[in-house]
Amino acid sequence: MGQKTMQIADTVEGLRAARAGLKGRVGLVPTMGALHAGHLSLVEQARADCDAVMVSIFINPAQFGPNEDLNRYPRDLPGDLAALEKAGVDVVFTPTPDLMYPPGYQTWVDVTDVARGLEGERRPGHFRGVATVVAKLFNLFQPQAAYFGQKDAQQAAVLKRLVCDLNFPLEMVICPTLREADGLAMSSRNAYLNPEQRRAAGVLYRALSAAGEFYAAGQRDPNRLRATMLDVLRAEPLAEPEYVSAADARSLRELDEPSDEPVLISMAVRIGTTRLIDNLLLPLTLNNRADLTAVLGG
Ligand code: AMP
């Protein structure tokens, strides 16, 4: 098989020209770079489903709060491009913030209910930034399918709502979270952790798994599920839980009462200055691409 070269676009015109050269079903994988195996699993899925694959690398300032880690967010463009080329990606878009938000920019996309709790509550404006940049990327790339990770479950739910409400003619695909050997969800932010913190970070998955097992044994009380996660987290001195949640997986509303509908258990935990998030869908059998895509965000 002949090796095709990957095109790199850093202007709107360049991207549109590269897009025009692609035939058939085109898949898009939006990222903020510092790519790891989790990102590459989305690319692989897109390759399996589509005739061509496009990736964006853009650290979107609009989705970071004033006291968040925008300035120190990990960057590795040469490494990312090498990994994407090897993965068989057709087009990579690497815009600057000024290209996406030129002077005078004033159009924003606000998804309401599903963006309100969980991360939306703790990171005001975050999903407005995410929805806006992804709407722009959809308009620029005109993909037939777009790939997102379960790792950012609320983001996936918000973007499903966006696609439905704004009539984007594309299929959303939500892929399961890739994990390290101890269960830690792969994340660009894991690079912030020192060895001691990295060891402690395994506690997120242990807490989620404990609640998952409790659920599998028949426990449906959301208060008990949340308490189980907190108990495990509190046993790790380096972990500071910001929230734990047991929410309806379709609406993402926090549960007060036992429910037989799918439940999203999730958490944000600080380890030192690093904020980590993770989640599982319950029952545990739903943590696969087809069920995640169907259930998360309704
Ligand atoms: P980010 O670069 O963090 O914005 O992530 C880009 C995409 O990769 C998002 O759709 C994430 O949900 C997804 N992603 C991040 N980490 C993982 C992971 N560990 N497994 C699968 N997908 C992931």
Side-chain angles (χ1 to χ4, degrees):
M1 226 165 59
Q3 190 82 8
K4 56 182 163 33
T5 47
M6 183 172 79
Q7 298 183 70
I8 302 166
D10 60 4
T11 63
V12 167
E13 298 70 31
L15 176 67
R16 288 204 199 279
R19 172 65 182 93
L22 301 179
K23 290 190 186 60
R25 183 177 172 89
V26 172
L28 169 65
V29 181
T31 82
M32 299 204 297
L35 302 180
H36 51 67
H39 296 112
L40 297 176
S41 75
L42 304 183
V43 169
E44 227 170 88
Q45 190 59 50
R47 283 253 298 170
D49 299 346
C50 301
D51 300 300
V53 178
M54 306 184 295
V55 173
S56 60
I57 299 177
F58 180 56
I59 303 175
N60 175 29
Q63 71 187 67
F64 287 79
N67 299 315
E68 295 183 357
D69 56 344
L70 173 62
N71 292 326
R72 66 172 188 138
Y73 195 84
R75 290 161 165 82
D76 178 19
L77 190 57
D80 291 348
L81 294 176
L84 295 176
E85 173 119 60
K86 190 160 165 239
V89 166
D90 297 274
V91 178
V92 182
F93 183 44
T94 59
T96 58
D98 241 27
L99 186 72
M100 296 300 273
Y101 305 106
Y105 188 89
Q106 46 192 292
T107 303
W108 300 94
V109 180
D110 239 321
V111 178
T112 57
D113 291 8
V114 74
R116 287 213 166 108
L118 302 173
E119 290 298 289
E121 191 178 328
R122 279 86 187 183
R123 303 184 68 189
H126 172 66
F127 287 120
R128 184 188 198 233
V130 169
T132 299
V133 82
V134 171
K136 285 170 66 74
L137 294 174
F138 286 169
N139 282 327
L140 287 164
F141 282 91
Q142 310 264 312
Q144 274 74 39
Y147 294 80
F148 294 91
Q150 170 190 8
K151 163 77 183 351
D152 302 283
Q154 189 177 17
Q155 166 174 285
V158 166
L159 295 175
K160 260 175 83 176
R161 200 65 249 168
L162 168 97
V163 163
C164 178
D165 291 353
L166 295 187
N167 308 103
F168 281 105
L170 62 87
E171 187 192 336
M172 292 286 289
V173 182
I174 304 174
C175 300
T177 302
L178 247 72
R179 299 180 179 282
E180 305 285 358
D182 67 344
L184 175 65
M186 291 183 183
S187 165
S188 308
R189 289 188 168 101
N190 294 350
Y192 297 145
L193 302 170
N194 68 31
E196 178 69 353
Q197 294 169 332
R198 169 63 191 83
R199 181 203 54 72
V203 76
L204 280 81
Y205 186 65
R206 288 203 307 278
L208 291 166
S209 299
E213 281 163 31
F214 207 15
Y215 183 98
Q219 181 56 252
R220 292 291 177 277
D221 180 348
N223 294 314
R224 301 290 297 277
L225 296 174
R226 288 185 287 260
T228 300
M229 293 188 275
L230 267 187
D231 283 348
V232 177
L233 292 173
R234 283 186 179 138
E236 171 48 66
L238 293 190
E240 283 176 65
E242 191 176 299
Y243 69 86
V244 295
S245 161
D248 179 85
R250 294 194 175 85
S251 68
L252 300 194
R253 273 196 287 270
E254 203 61 38
L255 290 169
D256 304 320
E257 302 287 336
S259 168
D260 284 322
E261 295 301 313
V263 174
L264 183 75
I265 53 172
S266 65
M267 57 181 59
V269 177
R270 280 184 197 279
I271 299 197
T273 56
T274 305
R275 185 178 183 277
L276 300 175
I277 59 169
D278 201 355
N279 69 81
L280 282 176
L281 203 49
L282 303 180
L284 289 169
T285 51
L286 297 182
N287 292 278
N288 64 76
R289 177 166 37 92
D291 287 319
L292 288 163
T293 299
V295 169
L296 270 181

